[in-house]
Amino acid sequence: THYSTFGWDHRAIRNRMTAALYPHADRVVGVSACVVDDLVAHFPAIADRTAVIPPAGPDPAALEALCSPVPDHPWYRDAARPTLLCSVANLVPRKGQETLVEALPRIRAAAGDVKLVLVGRHDDERFVTHLNARAAELGVQDHVWLAGYRENPFPFLSRSDVFVHASHTEGCPTVVGEAQACGVPVVACDCPGGVAEAVEHGKSGVLVPLQRPDAMAEAVVRV
């Protein structure tokens, strides 16, 4: 992201420091091959000293305790529980939650009582307002819950019927691996970045084209 304050270009400063310091490292590590490729493209001097180490995911021994609390919301506690879609990401345009809101009417038309839970910090209030307005415009405002930031997202992940991920760009989304660790099927946008390294299409999840609510809906209904 480009930030400029009082005439300072922080991104340019960061890039100059990276170019000066990274070649002195014994190893430069990225969370996905695409991240490493991008670093090498910008800083060729590190080409022979890179490694890919993906996010490790949750500790299996701790997973049961992480998942055990039941979210305090009727969708999780009522006897007639709806089908739940969950996404975990800060609420900013780059994370693509608008695609999920726009897909929801199609999903409900085909699959019945399906609700969308968006877990994540409200980092862009204008975007949050836009999501609420878009949900109202599409007639699904009562079927979308903006749950806000949760220190422990696993109760939401583990009780989802499908985990949905619609980011426009990603390095390697840790939360996709967390959903997989919970045994929850994943439908994710095949955005530039490491999503395709975390989701093998048709095996460990389903990949759909970026910013295509129709494709997202079709895949979720199929899953």
Side-chain angles (χ1 to χ4, degrees), residues 73 75 82 104 108 113-116 132 135-146:
H73 191 280
W75 294 351
L104 188 58
R108 288 179 54 81
D113 188 17
V114 181
K115 313 287 192 186
L116 174 62
N132 284 321
E137 181 183 350
L138 295 169
V140 293
Q141 66 270 34
D142 293 334
H143 310 294
V144 179
W145 178 32
L146 276 58

Side-chain angles (χ1 to χ4, degrees), residues 90-217:
N90 295 350
L91 267 62
V92 293
R94 182 180 70 82
K95 292 296 185 177
Q97 288 94 346
E98 185 173 6
T99 295
L100 305 176
V101 171
E102 291 181 345
L104 188 58
R106 295 178 172 93
I107 295 169
R108 288 179 54 81
D113 188 17
V114 181
K115 313 287 192 186
L116 174 62
V117 179
L118 301 178
V119 178
R121 192 172 58 238
H122 294 185
D123 281 349
D124 186 329
E125 289 297 338
R126 286 188 299 177
F127 182 60
V128 172
T129 299
H130 172 71
L131 286 178
N132 284 321
R134 192 74 179 111
E137 181 183 350
L138 295 169
V140 293
Q141 66 270 34
D142 293 334
H143 310 294
V144 179
W145 178 32
L146 276 58
Y149 171 76
R150 302 296 170 126
E151 185 175 355
N152 176 15
F154 284 96
F156 298 89
L157 290 172
S158 61
R159 289 169 177 80
S160 301
D161 295 287
V162 182
F163 178 76
V164 285
H165 187 75
S167 285
H168 299 175
T169 62
E170 284 287 353
C172 187
T174 301
V175 70
V176 168
E178 292 173 339
Q180 291 169 333
C182 293
V184 176
V186 173
V187 177
C189 289
D190 190 8
C191 67
V195 172
E197 296 178 44
V199 177
E200 187 176 1
H201 180 64
K203 292 188 177 181
S204 60
V206 178
L207 296 173
V208 300
L210 184 63
Q211 292 181 280
R212 284 277 305 278
D214 57 334
M216 175 63 72

